[in-house]
Amino acid sequence: MKSPIIALITDFGTEDGYVGAMKGQILKLAPKCVITDISHSIRPYDIRQAAFCLNNSYPYFPDKTIFVAVVDPGVGTTRRGVVIKTSQHIFVGPDNGVFSYIFYNEGFQAYEIDLASLPNHISNTFHGRDVFSRIAALATVDGQLDKHLKTIKEVRNFLTQPAKLAEFELMLEVIHVDHFGNLILNFHRNDLIKFEKTPEIRVEFDDIRLDSVSETFGSVADGELALLWDSSKFLQIAQNKGNASKKLGAGVGKKIRLYL
Amino acid sequence: MKSPIIALITDFGTEDGYVGAMKGQILKLAPKCVITDISHSIRPYDIRQAAFCLNNSYPYFPDKTIFVAVVDPGVGTTRRGVVIKTSQHIFVGPDNGVFSYIFYNEGFQAYEIDLASLPNHISNTFHGRDVFSRIAALATVDGQLDKHLKTIKEVRNFLTQPAKLAEFELMLEVIHVDHFGNLILNFHRNDLIKFEKTPEIRVEFDDIRLDSVSETFGSVADGELALLWDSSKFLQIAQNKGNASKKLGAGVGKKIRLYL
Amino acid sequence: MKSPIIALITDFGTEDGYVGAMKGQILKLAPKCVITDISHSIRPYDIRQAAFCLNNSYPYFPDKTIFVAVVDPGVGTTRRGVVIKTSQHIFVGPDNGVFSYIFYNEGFQAYEIDLASLPNHISNTFHGRDVFSRIAALATVDGQLDKHLKTIKEVRNFLTQPAKLAEFELMLEVIHVDHFGNLILNFHRNDLIKFEKTPEIRVEFDDIRLDSVSETFGSVADGELALLWDSSKFLQIAQNKGNASKKLGAGVGKKIRLYL
């Protein structure tokens, strides 16, 4: 029998022991599970970075993997804790948009966590340990999880479509800057499915123009900019062996004009 | 049968492979154990940060978990290697105060590691790999650990009590700044047990006064300061969705006046 | 039966989910394997740091451990993916020198990964997920790996010998600066084996002279410089409880004169 997998994303860093507390809690309640770190270096409170990180990771995990995402500036307020189930995976965390890409990608059912149904004391500052780790551990045992859930219809979702400027012209936005300084744009390769023939793509911003999509980073000379499909099929602007974000002084929110 | 858990805290970072060497050593000697990372991003040589991190984590782990804490500026000198046993857990590391909170929290027995009893070569610069990882691996096998231990009576402990200024006035100190910039003070909720009725609490420092303990971060407006019990029940000063340490220019050692 | 171990080194950081994708991929294909993080904080594109990190770690791991090293600025170009087998371990990654220390340390056989033999789609920007993780997972199953390999004779290796200036005088170079600021030099304790009697060692650079090899960091006063054998037996310059690199303003490439 395979061990259940619980994968963690937080903005906690590791140096205070908050992640350690979550791991201890999980191992105490679900001693046979395998804990997998996705990231604990999400920028503090950066829900969008966590959402992007989760989106890059979760599709590759085995069926039934349980993901716990804790970037939770609203902990202890009225923001809800939620469980999202898809046909393959279970997601646990605050209802603040951290699961936005999952809603975009696939069908899902959403549940609110009924805090009153949990037998333990719940602190007001650390639901990662007192609620979400416990719920994840319960999700490893058949029939335990649903006792603590109430179906809900609406969930927070921050994803928006690019603005349409003309028939073949969109205003994109940088939605993520990765570790290498690549600028990820809110345009997905699947957005081209509606075209019979894959159109040429061109982007423009400031005085820069990138006329076609390159095959890989090394398709352009060292230090040059390239337009690419990233490994999750979002359009990105990269600098070969460099850091496009630093070179361009551009970050999340930067507007990029796309011509099809 | 449950796998033994060995949890690690170091100031090694991961980029040099020192943590990798410890993990390899442990897996070679205790192939069935589960290694859990608590942190490898303790500030170099910062024994107090490691002690705090351990204190936030260890109570949540299953019984018999073995913790290895290696922040060890004195490696290779006469400082002792120690094993601390409590009713639930085993702790392995240098005798430099890194286990101070455990001594504060609960009963324990302390042992010196007898280096001469170990069969392998021991480097002078890396006891994390050559001594503490080995001892942790031995602790997973019944009857193996005690062969390498000698009972001791005194251990290093850096925790001190807040200074009493008047009957209901204490001089507290910031003992830890966490990843979010929260300022943790050396005053624990249990220090109030002696009062029949939980007293009001007020803190003052510089020209700032915080008059009561808030329920959670979001109990005050964004950017405002709040006084809270942290998730390990120490008093803390936090800034809602901000970084109190940066806002106040305050770090470890900052004096804070407490009125009960 | 022991679980197969797959150990990871990357320059990905964790915050984008790229490491998560690799872990998911591995767990999907090899559900019984144990994934061990060595490091994901290698400096972006720094093949030499990754090679050093791997060298410090791999010798301590159990036989049959599979190491995946992905620092891969040339991904998607004609650079090859390789598998290196030694008598004890298997290494998977790009052919860019990241395995240089392994070639230096021991006998090995080298293979090119036949990309065309892999059944899945391979992106041009993320072979860590689409190639190397898959190959590592295949290596956990008897008889699966070799179907995807072609023997090769030459591999990239960046290690060079110190320049000989006179019979007992060498020009060394700093090859690595570790997390503590220790300066690691390209001179290994085994390089002294040829001497009948272990010679005295002295180093000089700028106006500094270190006359002998110390036993440990604490053999000199706090803040003083020491010459030491590091825990992998390379010569290093360290500052007791300090950061030699910062103190000296010296990094990788710094020339150090050695007198035997």
Side-chain angles (χ1 to χ4, degrees):
Chain A
M1 215 188 66
K2 285 195 278 181
S3 303
I5 298 167
I6 296 179
L8 306 179
I9 298 183
T10 77
D11 63 347
F12 292 166
T14 61
E15 71 272 24
D16 302 306
Y18 301 141
V19 172
M22 287 181 64
K23 292 181 174 180
Q25 188 68 271
I26 289 169
L27 289 169
K28 195 182 270 180
L29 299 174
K32 291 187 181 271
C33 88
V34 171
I35 296 176
T36 299
D37 293 306
I38 293 179
S39 184
H40 304 296
S41 54
I42 301 299
R43 273 185 300 273
Y45 319 130
D46 194 337
I47 295 162
R48 285 161 191 261
Q49 192 185 38
F52 191 85
C53 175
L54 180 59
N55 183 54
N56 266 350
S57 302
Y58 86 86
Y60 303 95
F61 274 84
D63 278 12
K64 301 196 177 168
T65 298
I66 300 152
F67 297 88
V68 183
V70 193
V71 176
D72 194 10
V75 62
T77 67
T78 56
R79 77 96 188 86
R80 300 182 296 194
V82 290
V83 169
I84 310 297
K85 294 185 188 175
T86 67
S87 59
Q88 296 186 292
H89 300 126
I90 295 175
F91 301 87
V92 182
D95 180 26
N96 60 17
V98 72
F99 303 123
S100 291
Y101 289 95
I102 290 137
F103 308 144
Y104 174 81
N105 293 343
E106 44 191 309
F108 66 93
Q109 287 178 290
Y111 306 87
E112 179 177 356
I113 298 167
D114 178 12
L115 294 187
S117 75
L118 288 170
N120 61 302
H121 172 74
I122 297 172
S123 74
N124 284 313
T125 55
F126 195 4
H127 286 196
R129 179 191 69 196
D130 299 335
V131 177
F132 303 129
S133 292
R134 289 183 161 266
I135 290 291
L138 288 167
T140 66
V141 187
D142 281 343
Q144 288 301 305
L145 180 59
D146 292 345
K147 296 178 189 172
H148 303 281
L149 302 183
K150 296 183 285 194
T151 306
I152 53 175
K153 292 201 171 140
E154 300 236 325
V155 282
R156 291 277 177 94
N157 184 341
F158 60 70
L159 287 186
T160 54
Q161 291 300 310
K164 191 163 182 174
L165 302 176
E167 192 175 353
F168 297 109
E169 193 181 339
L170 296 171
M171 186 59 89
L172 307 185
E173 216 177 286
V174 174
I175 52 171
H176 182 79
V177 177
D178 82 3
H179 190 66
F180 298 89
N182 299 320
L183 304 170
I184 318 290
L185 305 173
N186 60 340
F187 192 79
H188 197 273
R189 197 162 186 163
N190 290 350
D191 296 339
L192 294 177
I193 285 178
K194 59 187 172 196
F195 291 91
E196 265 184 59
K197 186 165 157 286
T198 306
E200 294 289 306
I201 279 179
R202 186 174 93 230
V203 299
E204 291 184 15
F205 55 100
D206 307 338
D207 55 347
I208 290 167
R209 175 175 165 154
L210 296 170
D211 269 326
S212 62
V213 179
S214 298
E215 279 302 304
T216 190
F217 304 116
S219 303
V220 299
D222 286 9
E224 291 298 306
L225 293 173
L227 188 64
L228 291 162
W229 296 111
D230 89 344
S231 56
S232 288
K233 300 188 185 166
F234 284 99
L235 201 60
Q236 69 169 333
I237 296 167
Q239 184 190 21
N240 187 25
K241 295 186 189 165
N243 184 306
S245 175
K246 279 193 191 154
K247 181 186 167 80
L248 299 169
V252 169
K254 171 81 181 175
K255 304 287 185 191
I256 308 281
R257 211 170 272 263
L258 173 85
Y259 299 89
L260 291 169
Chain B
M1 215 188 65
K2 284 196 278 182
S3 303
I5 298 167
I6 296 179
L8 307 179
I9 298 183
T10 77
D11 63 347
F12 292 166
T14 61
E15 71 273 23
D16 302 306
Y18 302 141
V19 171
M22 287 180 65
K23 292 182 174 180
Q25 188 69 271
I26 289 169
L27 289 169
K28 196 183 270 179
L29 299 173
K32 292 187 180 273
C33 90
V34 170
I35 296 176
T36 299
D37 293 306
I38 294 179
S39 184
H40 304 295
S41 53
I42 300 299
R43 273 185 300 273
Y45 318 130
D46 194 337
I47 294 162
R48 283 161 192 261
Q49 191 185 37
F52 191 85
C53 175
L54 179 60
N55 184 54
N56 266 350
S57 302
Y58 85 86
Y60 303 96
F61 275 84
D63 278 12
K64 300 197 179 169
T65 298
I66 300 151
F67 297 88
V68 183
V70 193
V71 175
D72 195 10
V75 61
T77 66
T78 55
R79 77 96 189 88
R80 301 181 297 193
V82 290
V83 169
I84 309 297
K85 295 184 188 176
T86 68
S87 59
Q88 296 186 291
H89 300 128
I90 295 175
F91 302 86
V92 182
D95 180 25
N96 60 17
V98 73
F99 304 123
S100 291
Y101 290 93
I102 290 136
F103 307 145
Y104 174 81
N105 294 342
E106 44 192 310
F108 66 93
Q109 286 178 290
Y111 305 87
E112 179 177 358
I113 298 167
D114 178 12
L115 295 186
S117 75
L118 287 170
N120 61 302
H121 172 74
I122 297 172
S123 74
N124 284 313
T125 55
F126 195 6
H127 285 197
R129 180 191 66 195
D130 299 334
V131 177
F132 303 129
S133 292
R134 289 183 162 267
I135 290 290
L138 288 167
T140 67
V141 188
D142 280 344
Q144 288 301 306
L145 180 60
D146 292 345
K147 296 179 189 171
H148 303 281
L149 302 183
K150 296 183 286 192
T151 305
I152 54 176
K153 292 201 172 140
E154 300 235 326
V155 282
R156 292 277 178 94
N157 185 340
F158 60 70
L159 288 186
T160 54
Q161 292 299 310
K164 191 163 182 172
L165 303 176
E167 193 177 350
F168 297 108
E169 192 181 338
L170 296 172
M171 185 59 90
L172 307 185
E173 217 178 285
V174 174
I175 53 172
H176 182 78
V177 177
D178 82 3
H179 189 66
F180 298 89
N182 299 321
L183 303 170
I184 319 291
L185 305 172
N186 60 340
F187 191 79
H188 196 274
R189 198 162 186 165
N190 290 350
D191 296 340
L192 295 177
I193 286 177
K194 60 186 173 200
F195 292 90
E196 264 184 61
K197 184 165 158 287
T198 307
E200 293 288 306
I201 280 179
R202 185 176 94 230
V203 300
E204 292 185 15
F205 56 101
D206 307 339
D207 56 347
I208 291 167
R209 175 175 163 156
L210 297 169
D211 269 326
S212 62
V213 178
S214 298
E215 279 302 304
T216 190
F217 303 117
S219 304
V220 299
D222 286 10
E224 290 299 303
L225 292 173
L227 188 64
L228 291 162
W229 296 110
D230 88 345
S231 56
S232 287
K233 299 187 185 167
F234 284 99
L235 201 60
Q236 69 170 334
I237 297 167
Q239 185 191 21
N240 187 25
K241 295 187 189 164
N243 184 307
S245 175
K246 279 191 191 155
K247 181 185 167 79
L248 299 168
V252 169
K254 170 80 180 176
K255 303 289 185 192
I256 308 280
R257 212 170 272 262
L258 173 85
Y259 299 89
L260 291 170
Chain C
M1 215 189 66
K2 284 196 278 181
S3 303
I5 298 166
I6 296 179
L8 306 179
I9 297 183
T10 77
D11 63 347
F12 291 166
T14 60
E15 71 273 24
D16 302 306
Y18 301 141
V19 171
M22 287 181 65
K23 291 181 174 181
Q25 188 68 272
I26 289 169
L27 289 169
K28 195 182 269 179
L29 299 173
K32 291 186 180 272
C33 89
V34 171
I35 296 176
T36 299
D37 292 306
I38 294 179
S39 184
H40 304 295
S41 54
I42 301 298
R43 272 184 301 272
Y45 318 131
D46 194 336
I47 295 162
R48 284 161 192 260
Q49 191 186 36
F52 191 85
C53 175
L54 180 58
N55 183 54
N56 266 350
S57 302
Y58 86 86
Y60 303 95
F61 274 85
D63 279 13
K64 301 198 178 167
T65 299
I66 300 151
F67 298 88
V68 182
V70 192
V71 175
D72 194 10
V75 61
T77 67
T78 56
R79 77 96 188 87
R80 300 181 296 193
V82 291
V83 169
I84 309 297
K85 294 184 188 177
T86 68
S87 60
Q88 297 186 291
H89 300 128
I90 295 175
F91 301 86
V92 182
D95 180 27
N96 60 17
V98 72
F99 303 123
S100 292
Y101 289 94
I102 290 137
F103 307 145
Y104 174 81
N105 293 342
E106 43 192 311
F108 67 93
Q109 286 178 291
Y111 305 87
E112 179 176 356
I113 297 167
D114 178 13
L115 294 187
S117 75
L118 287 170
N120 61 302
H121 172 74
I122 297 171
S123 74
N124 284 312
T125 55
F126 195 5
H127 285 197
R129 180 191 67 194
D130 299 335
V131 177
F132 303 129
S133 292
R134 290 184 161 267
I135 290 290
L138 289 167
T140 66
V141 187
D142 280 344
Q144 287 301 306
L145 180 60
D146 292 346
K147 296 178 188 172
H148 303 281
L149 302 183
K150 297 183 286 192
T151 306
I152 54 175
K153 290 200 173 142
E154 301 236 323
V155 282
R156 292 275 179 96
N157 185 340
F158 60 70
L159 288 185
T160 54
Q161 292 299 310
K164 190 162 183 173
L165 302 176
E167 192 175 353
F168 297 108
E169 192 181 339
L170 295 171
M171 186 59 89
L172 306 185
E173 215 177 288
V174 174
I175 52 171
H176 182 78
V177 177
D178 82 3
H179 190 67
F180 298 89
N182 299 321
L183 303 169
I184 318 292
L185 305 173
N186 59 340
F187 191 80
H188 197 272
R189 197 160 186 166
N190 289 351
D191 296 340
L192 295 176
I193 286 177
K194 59 189 174 197
F195 293 90
E196 264 184 61
K197 184 165 158 288
T198 305
E200 293 289 306
I201 279 179
R202 186 175 94 230
V203 299
E204 291 184 16
F205 55 101
D206 307 337
D207 55 346
I208 290 167
R209 176 175 163 155
L210 298 169
D211 269 326
S212 61
V213 179
S214 298
E215 279 302 304
T216 190
F217 304 115
S219 304
V220 299
D222 285 9
E224 291 297 304
L225 293 172
L227 188 64
L228 291 161
W229 296 110
D230 89 345
S231 56
S232 287
K233 300 187 185 168
F234 285 99
L235 200 60
Q236 69 170 333
I237 297 167
Q239 184 190 22
N240 187 25
K241 295 186 190 166
N243 184 306
S245 175
K246 278 192 192 153
K247 182 186 167 81
L248 299 168
V252 169
K254 170 81 181 175
K255 304 288 186 191
I256 307 281
R257 212 169 272 262
L258 173 84
Y259 300 89
L260 291 168

